[in-house]
């Protein structure tokens, strides 16, 4: 009788523990927003652009899928009120990240990624796109934000043309960045050649490294750059302000950082989102820095190749052209079964990074040449999730 009573008591305790655990898990998942519709992912739907009658807006709905620095989506589009086949692209001066990108170089590279998606989508949809960069001249660097607001990055003119299948177009709907480990296999000669063919602009170079010496050296630059950035408080604060902790915040803002952008998905994503929302201290600066460094170390240890985009100078036009090449490089990689991840912290221009910035340029760039992008390249071992995007109409302005 005593054993039966003890067993019954233990069973009741177990039921209570399991019930409490189930309730806690439910609270976490509800707090995470597991039942909220993911409106921030709507632009990734292949039918999304069909809702827009204006061909310019159709193309904008493709351009916003492009890779962009810190997922700030720093684009503004002004539709020409007189010519319904013309629009102008502006850099959004209110979406800068001045701590990590003090000269807005990455913002300008992001203008190029957008424009290349526009060009590729235009051909697919039956429009020839003529892109005139800085039609009113480059910026006045003495008052950069005001100049960004006043001068367009590009004037885009559309002309009806027979639809032209572009082999890169289908890959626009895949996430541009995969931070996971890559397979150890080197790129085949055919893959390397195909990536090299992405380079089209004069004055923009593309180098691919997969020999062990350069892979090890560039991996070390990636890790060192990440460790430096992770130790700068003002940069961590800038990143914290654009981190979206749960589905509700992602639907509200639709830009910035989130857990899936760091490779956390599924059950674990919702559990972590719930925990961080309820206990924000879990996402403290030290924990985030440690995770960033560990992630980069793991990535560097599972990277068979790196690609580097360089320009002969560092003008705003050259920065945009580098971004256009980067879009083609990403899409070409996808078409070959490869993925990419920027590891460009070492190329950032704030004081703490100066020594490493100068070092990598001494190693890999001739005098006057600027390294615009450093990216990992390889075959993925796991898929990546798409990141937040704002609605296409939110980019339109007067």
């Amino acid at each position: 009788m005593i054993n039966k009573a003890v067993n019954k008591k233990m069973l009741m305790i177990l039921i209570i523990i399991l019930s409490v655990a189930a309730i806690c898990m439910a609270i976490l998942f509800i707090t995470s927003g597991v039942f909220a519709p993911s409106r921030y992912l709507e632009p990734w739907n292949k039918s999304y652009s069909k809702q827009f009658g204006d061909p310019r807006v159709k193309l904008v709905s493709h351009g916003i899928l492009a890779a962009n620095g810190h997922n700030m989506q720093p684009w503004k589009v002004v539709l020409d009120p007189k010519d319904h086949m013309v629009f102008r692209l502006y850099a959004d001066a209110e979406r800068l990240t001045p701590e990590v990108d003090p000269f807005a170089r990455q913002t300008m590279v992001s203008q190029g990624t957008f424009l290349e998606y526009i060009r590729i989508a235009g051909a697919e949809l039956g429009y020839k796109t003529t892109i005139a960069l800085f039609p009113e001249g480059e910026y006045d660097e003495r008052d950069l934000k005001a100049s960004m607001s006043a001068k367009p990055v590009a004037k885009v003119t559309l002309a009806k043309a027979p639809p032209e299948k572009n082999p890169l177009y289908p890959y626009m709907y895949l996430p541009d960045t995969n931070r996971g480990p890559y397979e150890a296999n080197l790129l085949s000669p055919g893959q390397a050649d195909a990536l090299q063919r992405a380079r089209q602009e004069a004055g923009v170079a593309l180098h691919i490294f997969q020999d062990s010496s350069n892979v090890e050296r560039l991996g070390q630059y990636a890790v060192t750059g990440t460790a430096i950035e992770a130790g700068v408080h003002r940069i961590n604060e800038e990143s914290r302000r654009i981190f979206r902790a749960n589905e509700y915040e992602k639907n509200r803002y639709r830009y910035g950082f989130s857990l899936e952008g760091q490779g956390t998905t599924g059950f674990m994503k919702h559990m972590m989102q719930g925990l961080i929302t309820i206990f924000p201290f879990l996402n403290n600066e030290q924990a985030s820095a440690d995770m960033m460094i560990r992630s980069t170390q793991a990535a560097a240890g599972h990277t068979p190749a790196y690609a580097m985009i360089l320009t002969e100078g560092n003008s705003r036009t050259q920065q945009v052209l580098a971004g256009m090449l980067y879009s083609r490089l990403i899409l070409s990689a996808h078409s070959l079964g490869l993925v990419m991840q920027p590891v460009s912290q070492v190329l950032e221009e704030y004081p703490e990074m100066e020594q490493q910035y100068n070092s990598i340029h001494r190693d890999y760039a001739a005098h006057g040449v600027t390294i615009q992008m450093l990216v990992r390249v390889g075959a993925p071992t796991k898929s990546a999730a798409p990141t937040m995007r704002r609605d296409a109409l939110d980019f339109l302005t007067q």
Side-chain angles (χ1 to χ4, degrees), residues 50-212:
K50 295 179 180 178
Q51 66 184 292
F52 305 114
D54 190 317
R56 299 169 296 180
V57 183
K58 283 184 182 291
L59 295 192
V60 168
S61 72
H62 288 80
I64 64 177
L65 300 180
N68 62 98
H70 316 290
N71 198 24
M72 292 301 290
Q73 304 166 43
W75 307 302
K76 291 197 304 183
V77 172
V78 176
L79 303 180
D80 192 302
K82 297 180 180 179
D83 189 336
H84 293 176
M85 298 293 272
V86 172
F87 69 88
R88 289 167 177 80
L89 173 67
Y90 290 77
D92 191 338
E94 301 305 315
R95 292 184 176 275
L96 304 180
T97 48
E99 300 300 343
V100 75
D101 185 26
F103 303 118
R105 181 186 59 81
Q106 295 177 51
T107 296
M108 301 315 298
V109 171
S110 298
Q111 306 306 306
T113 61
F114 179 96
L115 288 168
E116 187 62 19
Y117 269 37
I118 289 289
R119 189 188 66 78
I120 292 171
E124 184 79 15
L125 300 182
Y127 297 95
K128 178 183 177 182
T129 57
T130 300
I131 298 173
L133 295 181
F134 295 100
E136 298 176 19
E138 292 196 358
Y139 299 140
D140 179 353
E141 300 292 338
R142 296 167 299 181
D143 192 357
L144 182 58
K145 288 188 70 172
S147 196
M148 278 184 170
S149 299
K151 293 185 174 185
V153 174
K155 177 182 177 182
V156 181
T157 304
L158 310 184
K160 282 295 293 180
E164 183 179 313
K165 287 291 181 183
N166 189 309
L168 300 183
Y169 177 81
Y171 300 101
M172 295 172 66
Y173 295 95
L174 296 180
D176 54 84
T177 301
N178 187 312
R179 292 180 170 82
Y182 298 166
E183 295 179 1
N185 303 334
L186 298 180
L187 308 186
S188 70
Q191 288 174 322
D193 288 345
L195 293 180
Q196 286 286 0
R197 287 196 294 273
R199 188 183 70 83
Q200 297 175 4
E201 294 84 2
V204 183
L206 171 63
H207 295 166
I208 296 174
F209 303 94
Q210 50 182 341
D211 62 283
S212 59

